[in-house]
């Protein structure tokens, strides 16, 4: 497919290409061996992160406590250390079996 580059270096990508890519809002632009390579990128917006934290029931106090905990661990044991029980994942919900 051919796409024209405007005088302002703008490029409109064909709709069929964007549909195949899921119509991303952003693309990473690189050059490789004289070719332009566009890679779709999904930007994680702060509101999405806040919504996910709220969905998981994680408060700003929980994040602060976790940072304090992580910063007090010795570097050699930080990866092997167990977090406080407060930060362990909640048990999975059990489904009710029908009779």
């Amino acid at each position: 497919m051919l796409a024209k580059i405007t005088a302002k270096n703008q490029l409109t990508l064909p709709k069929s290409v964007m549909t195949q890519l899921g119509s991303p809002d952003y693309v990473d632009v690189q050059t490789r061996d004289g070719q332009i390579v566009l890679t779709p990128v999904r930007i994680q917006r702060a509101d999405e992160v806040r919504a996910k934290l709220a969905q998981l029931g994680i408060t700003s106090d929980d994040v602060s406590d976790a940072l304090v905990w992580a910063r007090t661990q010795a570097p050699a044991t930080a990866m092997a250390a167990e977090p406080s029980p407060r930060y362990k994942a909640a048990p999975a919900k059990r489904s009710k079996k029908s009779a």
Side-chain angles (χ1 to χ4, degrees):
M1 278 180 239
L2 200 58
K4 181 171 175 41
I5 299 175
T6 69
K8 294 183 180 182
N9 291 327
Q10 294 177 335
L11 172 70
T12 300
L13 297 174
K15 185 176 181 176
S16 61
V17 170
M18 295 304 290
T19 301
Q20 289 178 25
L21 297 176
S23 298
D25 290 329
Y26 294 91
V27 293
D28 178 53
V29 181
Q30 297 180 7
T31 58
R32 289 190 203 138
D33 300 322
Q35 294 182 339
I36 299 169
V37 179
L38 303 176
T39 306
V41 176
R42 183 170 185 263
I43 302 297
Q44 184 89 13
R45 292 186 167 64
D47 290 340
E48 292 178 36
V49 173
R50 285 186 200 97
K52 185 65 174 180
L53 290 173
Q55 177 186 9
L56 295 171
I58 298 173
T59 67
S60 59
D61 288 341
D62 293 330
V63 174
S64 296
D65 291 346
L67 287 171
V68 168
W69 173 85
R71 290 176 179 158
T72 59
Q73 301 304 305
T77 61
M79 296 300 287
E82 277 291 317
S84 161
R86 179 175 178 190
Y87 299 111
K88 289 188 178 179
K93 293 182 181 177
R94 296 182 186 191
S95 61
K96 295 180 182 178
K97 293 183 181 180
S98 56

